[in-house]
Amino acid sequence: MLDIAKEAARQAGAYLQERFLERLVPDEELHNDVKLPEDKESERRIIEVLRRHVPAHAIYSEEIGMVEGDEEYLWIVDPLDGTNNYFIGFPYFSVSIALQHRGEIVLGVVYNPVAGQMFWAEKGNGAFLNGRRLAVNERDDLTRAVGTYIRGRDTVTKEEEWAFTRPFAMNTKRLMRNLAPALDWCLLANGWLDYIVMQRSGIMDVAAGILIAQEAGAAVTDWEGNPYRHGSFSADRFPSLVASNGRLHERICRLIGG
């Protein structure tokens, strides 16, 4: 299954990298989003690989929605995580593929074709970047911590976002909003980031990345500090979460609403 996911990610990633420097023509531009034909073509290539190897499995993908099949195995696909970045030529985007088995995420692959970064994890077997095992960092100084803020589209107003994120911006070294959640989780897994605060997001954006971060030792909880447990697939939204290297976790949680 891991080899299948990697093959699909590479096929889609090669296409996205080939198209990246072109002048892209969107199918639709919204006030805070953009729809690109490259999303759909990337998705088509991923689904072609999955259908060739595991034709009975169900697939849930961002563009096409649910592809019916045996839902004991459900592939959760974001064919282009970071579409807005891709559109403006900012090289921070990825292909994200997760496999859910009987309601549990058991495999995740996130591929950044520009940097040649293939992140992956299998539940219980650790997380890796191009074959090197990943581990979160051991930073415990909140004032030197670097984090990211993730939120779903149209979940809060700009004023609410500014009010919510201000405590993190003021009390840590840097708070970024990268607009490519799957890669953010992988940066946490590799010790490049110290924390993530997520205010809801699409399941396709984060399913693979959360497993990679957890397998690298990240603490992942809800905003009250209760451990995150993935339930069976039932909606296109994840709950609001906090993730960190563990050492900073309680202090990050205390900044919520602060």
Side-chain angles (χ1 to χ4, degrees), residues 86-157:
Y86 188 81
F87 180 54
I88 66 171
F90 179 45
Y92 192 82
F93 61 89
S94 72
V95 177
S96 175
I97 303 172
L99 176 62
Q100 177 177 291
H101 180 232
R102 295 179 178 175
E104 183 176 27
I105 301 294
V106 296
L107 180 155
V109 167
V110 175
Y111 180 48
N112 176 351
V114 172
Q117 297 169 327
M118 179 72 77
F119 298 90
W120 77 84
E122 293 177 290
K123 190 169 182 63
N125 291 323
F128 299 85
L129 166 57
N130 296 347
R132 176 177 59 82
R133 184 177 287 272
L134 301 179
V136 296
N137 66 44
E138 297 185 355
R139 189 182 309 282
D140 60 5
D141 184 347
L142 185 65
T143 64
R144 295 182 60 81
V146 176
T148 60
Y149 170 66
I150 298 169
R151 73 165 176 86
R153 289 184 288 271
D154 298 319
T155 55
V156 296
T157 66

Side-chain angles (χ1 to χ4, degrees), residues 76 98 100 103-106 123 185 198 201-215 218-235 237-244 249 253:
I76 302 171
Q100 177 177 291
E104 183 176 27
I105 301 294
V106 296
K123 190 169 182 63
W185 288 95
M198 188 173 86
S201 189
I203 189 172
M204 294 81 64
D205 298 337
V206 298
I210 285 179
L211 179 65
I212 291 168
Q214 286 181 311
E215 287 295 317
V220 184
T221 72
D222 63 20
W223 286 1
E224 287 71 45
N226 302 304
Y228 165 73
R229 296 285 184 269
H230 180 71
S232 61
F233 179 82
S234 60
R237 293 283 176 189
F238 260 49
S240 296
L241 299 176
V242 179
S244 76
H249 205 81
C253 287

Side-chain angles (χ1 to χ4, degrees), residues 18 28 37 48 55 60 91 96 110 118 127 171 200-201 204 208 254:
E18 178 183 314
E28 184 179 8
E48 189 278 326
Y60 186 74
S96 175
V110 175
M118 179 72 77
N171 290 281
R200 297 185 299 277
S201 189
M204 294 81 64
R254 287 199 295 268

